[in-house]
Amino acid sequence: MIEITHTHEDGTLVDGTDKGDGTAPILKTHGFRWFPSIKQWGIRNSRDQAARRLAINAAAEALRAAGHEVTVEIDDTPRDNATVRADKHERLEERRTGLAAKGQRLTAESAALHARSNAMVEHIPMGQPVLPGRRGQAHRNLLNRSIDTAIKGSQVARQAEAIPDRIAGSHRAEARRERPDVIKRRVDRMEAEVRGIDRRLARLAPGPSVVREQYEGDRATLLTRIEGDKELLEQARQEGQFGQYSRDNVHKHDLVRIRGQWRQVVRANAKTVSVTTGYSWTDKYGWEEVKGLRCAHVEDAEQATAETATD
């Protein structure tokens, strides 16, 4: 009995396969991959995504045609954003911990290789010449093994030295995903995907179908993610990290700080701001990209308020 299951917590997994039972080529053909860490077949990046029903059903039919008994169980209930984010953070921390441990192992391995390299030649006096021909062959072979071992130790050391940067990069990438401007662009992209799914659903023939179930699963997942990200944006707005700049308070010729640079406003639109580039064209950014404002209107208003208070 082979069971193909899908949940948003675990993704798409296959139970009941054995090595050499003929299932591997079939599953691989339909997009499944072997996960050594859990010793199961599954679909990559299927956790917290709608089930890929077409691939799952095609794999199940192919397995049945090959003589296997197969059951399929799909639970496409999306998890809330807080749970998804916490779960993803936990997995990232586990990977970072694993990387740190790997770095320690590589450092120890490098030290051992260099020690072994030195031990090979420590009994040879400094400056001892290598005799020509067969008389010096053993000496020459020993030197070559020592050099090869030292080179391998240096290669391993470079791998260990790269791991802290990989861990730091993982932290930066995770922090970037939580930035309000990145969240806003993600929401816009997902909302566009939902509109595309709605158009495709409208073109489908009436009645149930696997394609309709696939679209509806994708749509439900996207709506859950959008709702959670909008809650994060609202929290950032209340904390003053997002949403304080718009066409209501930004005017033509004002200066706005975008990606660390002050740029002059050419046009303030409903969802974007166009700024100068120093060339004949302009750049367009979403309002979530604006991190600062130098506005003569605001400065004049603040000055007038200050003078009134003084009077």
Side-chain angles (χ1 to χ4, degrees):
M1 172 68 73
I2 296 175
E3 298 178 348
I4 302 178
T5 61
H6 177 86
T7 64
H8 279 239
E9 181 177 0
D10 298 323
T12 303
L13 297 173
V14 181
D15 264 325
T17 61
D18 292 314
K19 187 175 182 179
D21 63 0
T23 58
I26 298 173
L27 292 170
K28 192 178 296 185
T29 299
H30 292 89
F32 289 74
R33 295 293 179 267
W34 177 253
F35 299 149
S37 59
I38 58 176
K39 295 180 173 56
Q40 281 184 274
W41 287 89
I43 295 180
R44 287 179 180 172
N45 302 319
S46 57
R47 187 185 281 116
D48 289 309
Q49 300 291 331
R52 301 177 189 174
R53 295 172 183 269
L54 295 175
I56 291 172
N57 290 349
E61 289 303 319
L63 289 169
R64 292 184 183 114
H68 299 281
E69 188 176 352
V70 183
T71 62
V72 176
E73 185 176 345
I74 295 176
D75 180 1
D76 243 348
T77 306
R79 299 193 295 172
D80 64 272
N81 257 25
T83 302
V84 172
R85 290 168 62 227
D87 192 13
K88 185 177 293 185
H89 175 74
E90 183 178 351
R91 293 197 304 273
L92 287 172
E93 284 296 311
E94 289 176 355
R95 292 174 189 170
R96 292 166 191 150
T97 301
L99 276 175
K102 181 180 179 180
Q104 294 175 352
R105 290 195 301 272
L106 290 174
T107 300
E109 181 183 350
S110 174
L113 287 168
H114 280 107
R116 190 185 310 163
S117 173
N118 293 332
M120 290 178 185
V121 295
E122 63 182 1
H123 64 282
I124 301 177
M126 292 292 292
Q128 172 70 43
V130 179
L131 297 176
R134 295 178 60 184
R135 289 181 298 172
Q137 190 62 47
H139 187 182
R140 191 177 298 109
N141 290 342
L142 188 61
L143 290 176
N144 288 336
R145 289 201 303 273
S146 176
I147 291 171
D148 290 342
T149 303
I151 290 174
K152 184 177 180 181
S154 298
Q155 292 172 339
V156 172
R158 283 195 293 271
Q159 295 176 18
E161 291 168 358
I163 284 181
D165 289 338
R166 292 174 61 184
I167 295 174
S170 174
H171 282 292
R172 287 194 300 270
E174 184 179 18
R176 183 181 182 277
R177 286 193 294 270
E178 298 295 318
R179 278 173 23 196
D181 57 318
V182 175
I183 295 174
K184 178 61 168 59
R185 289 195 294 273
R186 186 165 65 231
V187 167
D188 292 342
R189 183 179 65 252
M190 290 189 294
E191 288 180 337
E193 291 179 20
V194 170
R195 292 193 294 271
I197 290 174
D198 288 341
R199 289 191 295 270
R200 290 191 288 273
L201 282 170
R203 290 195 295 266
L204 288 178
S209 67
V210 175
V211 176
R212 181 178 294 278
E213 290 177 351
Q214 179 71 68
Y215 286 154
E216 290 175 346
D218 290 336
R219 189 178 190 278
T221 301
L222 285 169
L223 290 177
T224 302
R225 299 285 85 79
I226 290 170
E227 180 183 2
D229 278 349
K230 283 187 173 180
E231 290 176 358
L232 294 177
L233 287 178
E234 181 58 32
Q235 180 181 346
R237 183 179 286 108
Q238 293 176 2
E239 295 172 355
Q241 301 176 8
F242 171 77
Q244 61 267 49
Y245 302 113
S246 69
R247 66 191 305 178
D248 295 331
N249 57 359
V250 177
H251 316 85
K252 187 176 182 179
H253 303 312
D254 288 348
L255 293 177
V256 291
R257 185 164 60 87
I258 296 176
R259 300 186 181 182
Q261 294 183 334
W262 289 98
R263 312 281 286 275
Q264 189 175 49
V265 176
V266 176
R267 185 169 52 257
N269 309 302
K271 294 185 177 180
T272 61
V273 58
S274 299
V275 296
T276 57
T277 61
Y279 300 97
S280 59
W281 62 85
T282 61
D283 283 341
K284 186 181 291 185
Y285 298 92
W287 287 111
E288 69 277 0
E289 296 268 16
V290 180
K291 303 301 181 184
L293 171 65
R294 292 176 181 171
C295 174
H297 303 78
V298 174
E299 292 172 359
D300 291 344
E302 291 177 348
Q303 182 177 359
T305 301
E307 291 176 352
T308 301
T310 302
D311 294 341

